[in-house]
Amino acid sequence: MSDGLIPSGWDVLARAAHAWAGADRDATEVPTPVPPHKMSPWSGSAACGLDAAVHAWDIALATGRPSPLTPELARLLLRIAREIRETVEPLRPRGAYVAALAPEQGDTDVAVLLRHLGRDPRWIAPQAPRPLRGD
C-alpha cells in the first residue's frame, strides 16, 4: 500500500513493465544493464522490478514508512532473484550485492526475499537524536 510518497511494490513493477513495453517480447535475449548484460525480456523486466522494489523497501523503512512489499509480490520477485543468482554471486565480493542472510524458521515470504537480498527483515531505522534546547 502506498502513502503517496513511496510507491507501492506493485506500482514499481507497473512502472518497470511500462519501461520494458518496447522490448521485443519474442526475442530470446535483450540487452540489460545488469550482468550478464543480456536476459530474456521477462527476466530483464523482472530484474528491473526487483531492483526498484527492494530499494523502495529500503527507502520506506529508512523514512519510517511501512514496507511496500506484499507476500504475493515477494514470491514473484524471489523467482527472479533466484534466477539471476549465478550472475550476481561473483559481484558480491566486490560490493555490488551484499551477502545473502540465512533464512530463519518462520520467515514470511517477504522475509525470505529480503534475507536472500542481504537485508534484515526486522530492521528499523534508528531514531535521530533530538536537538538540545538552550544551546
Side-chain angles (χ1 to χ4, degrees), residues 88-89 91-93 95-102 114-120:
V88 301
E89 285 304 322
L91 301 174
R92 288 189 198 271
Y97 296 90
V98 296
L101 302 177
L114 292 170
R115 288 184 198 287
H116 182 81
L117 299 173
R119 283 154 173 86
D120 180 351

Side-chain angles (χ1 to χ4, degrees), residues 71-91:
E72 184 180 13
L73 179 58
R75 287 189 295 274
L76 175 67
L77 294 174
L78 188 58
R79 176 178 163 197
I80 188 61
R82 287 180 172 153
E83 182 180 317
I84 65 173
R85 182 184 338 213
E86 286 181 24
T87 62
V88 301
E89 285 304 322
L91 301 174

Side-chain angles (χ1 to χ4, degrees), residues 38-54:
K38 56 187 174 185
M39 296 180 184
S40 72
W42 184 90
S43 295
S45 61
C48 174
L50 171 65
D51 187 59
V54 74

